[in-house]
Amino acid sequence: MSFRSIFQHISAGFGVLCNFILIILIIKKSPKTLGSYKILMIYIAIFDIFYAVIDALIVPKMFSYNSGAFIIVSTNEALLPKSWLLIANLLYCTFFGTSMAVFAVHFVYRYLTVIGSYYIKNYDRQIIITLMTFPVIFGLVWFWMTHFTLTASDETEQFFNKYYYGVHNSASDIFYVGYYFYPEDAYGNKALHSRSFRGFLFQSTFITSSFGLILYFGTKCHLHTKSLSSKTVTSSSRFSLQSQLFYALVFQTIIPVFLMHIPSTISMCAAFTNISIEFISQILSCTISLYPALDPLPNFFIIKSYRNAITQYLTDFLRLLTCGKKHLNVIHVQSRNTSKI
């Protein structure tokens, strides 16, 4: 087992644990004023758990060369049956693409909440269900388009025969999804691969749209939250909670941006310009696996009720260890005194 696969399994385990703890905190320790938003918070945590599990089950790696950039799943490393690996790889790509849509709907809800929207007051549950449905539809479209534009083709098989098979795995051992922008013909001439380019345009449009929603509603939410601070003292507790939730969400969003989307965008643009940046591809699978593990942490540190709960749990645990150690020392001293008598 390679260092990369070990790292991915450890990250996945840590991600499942942290998100499971977060779900417990949301259910048990959330302020009453949090309301239905905790449903969306649990929604993110469950999303991260599934992402971590898929990562651990298929252990994907990245491969780039010239104008090709691919996510590869190998039967030698994956824990799933061979017949499931292509679908699992497509799901992995779908979770990657849907991550920003999940955060986008949270910013929409946060904005509607801080402005005291009529729809939140009267149709809260309906709004929650609608917002939760959007990433699902988004993901289904992403899965379908990725399957029809970025899976194996004659051109990509030619690429793998030339640059990958024989050196790494055989054709029957891997399943891949990705771009090959400029395939070569028999005479070495290159032309833009329309199938890969359509996939590139589709995914770029979807991710850009998600970022647009995040920036728009995030900015409006931030400006309105700041305006709450200038109101009466009676709104100070509400302002504090809204600020905590907003900044926790901001940092949760920043984590996948730096761990996933910026490196993958660099790799994708490099392939589009027919430049290979191999070291980015080598570390990308590791940084992506860190995302579900690190994503819950802003909630632990920023949201006061969760921070206090974790501090109390750790204090009780340390006290238990200390008391247990003292108890053992007392028994040890008593036994020595008894032996002298």
Side-chain angles (χ1 to χ4, degrees), residues 1-12 55 58-63 72-74 76-78 92 164 168-169 281-287 289:
M1 186 177 289
S2 65
F3 170 80
R4 173 186 52 80
S5 60
I6 294 173
F7 183 88
Q8 287 175 265
H9 281 113
I10 293 174
S11 296
D55 194 298
I58 66 174
V59 199
K61 63 180 178 180
M62 314 301 164
F63 175 73
I72 298 174
V73 177
S74 170
N76 297 329
E77 292 185 313
Y92 177 81
Y164 193 86
H168 299 85
N169 303 76
S281 298
Q282 292 175 357
I283 66 172
L284 187 54
S285 55
C286 291
T287 59
S289 69

Side-chain angles (χ1 to χ4, degrees), residues 43-92:
Y43 186 65
I44 284 186
I46 293 175
F47 177 89
D48 289 347
I49 287 173
F50 275 106
Y51 203 168
V53 169
I54 290 177
D55 194 298
L57 289 176
I58 66 174
V59 199
K61 63 180 178 180
M62 314 301 164
F63 175 73
S64 64
Y65 191 83
N66 291 344
S67 65
F70 297 90
I71 301 171
I72 298 174
V73 177
S74 170
T75 57
N76 297 329
E77 292 185 313
L79 303 178
L80 290 176
K82 183 177 179 178
S83 58
W84 295 8
L85 292 184
L86 178 58
I87 291 178
N89 199 0
L90 288 168
L91 281 174
Y92 177 81

Side-chain angles (χ1 to χ4, degrees), residues 132-191:
M132 290 172 63
T133 303
F134 174 75
V136 175
I137 297 173
F138 189 104
L140 290 173
V141 176
W142 185 286
F143 183 95
W144 182 80
M145 286 297 295
T146 302
H147 175 68
F148 284 101
T149 60
L150 300 178
T151 49
S153 64
D154 292 339
E155 291 83 1
T156 57
E157 279 299 297
Q158 182 183 13
F159 173 89
F160 273 83
N161 282 324
K162 186 173 183 179
Y163 300 114
Y164 193 86
Y165 298 145
V167 178
H168 299 85
N169 303 76
S170 66
S172 61
D173 290 335
I174 69 167
F175 296 87
Y176 59 83
V177 175
Y179 308 97
Y180 184 32
F181 288 111
Y182 304 109
E184 299 178 4
D185 60 19
Y187 302 99
N189 299 317
K190 297 180 179 180

Side-chain angles (χ1 to χ4, degrees), residues 87-135:
I87 291 178
N89 199 0
L90 288 168
L91 281 174
Y92 177 81
C93 296
T94 300
F95 271 81
F96 173 90
T98 311
S99 61
M100 286 298 104
V102 171
F103 289 110
V105 300
H106 280 68
F107 277 101
V108 173
Y109 188 86
R110 288 256 45 82
Y111 174 68
L112 293 176
T113 300
V114 297
I115 66 172
S117 170
Y118 164 84
Y119 298 102
I120 292 295
K121 294 177 180 178
N122 295 277
Y123 304 102
D124 189 33
R125 290 302 174 96
Q126 293 90 330
I127 294 293
I128 290 283
I129 293 171
T130 301
L131 291 176
M132 290 172 63
T133 303
F134 174 75

Side-chain angles (χ1 to χ4, degrees), residues 302-321:
I302 296 175
I303 300 177
K304 184 178 179 180
S305 59
Y306 302 160
R307 185 174 68 247
N308 290 343
I310 292 175
T311 302
Q312 186 61 52
Y313 290 147
L314 290 175
T315 301
D316 293 343
F317 179 70
L318 292 174
R319 186 181 294 117
L320 180 64
L321 289 179

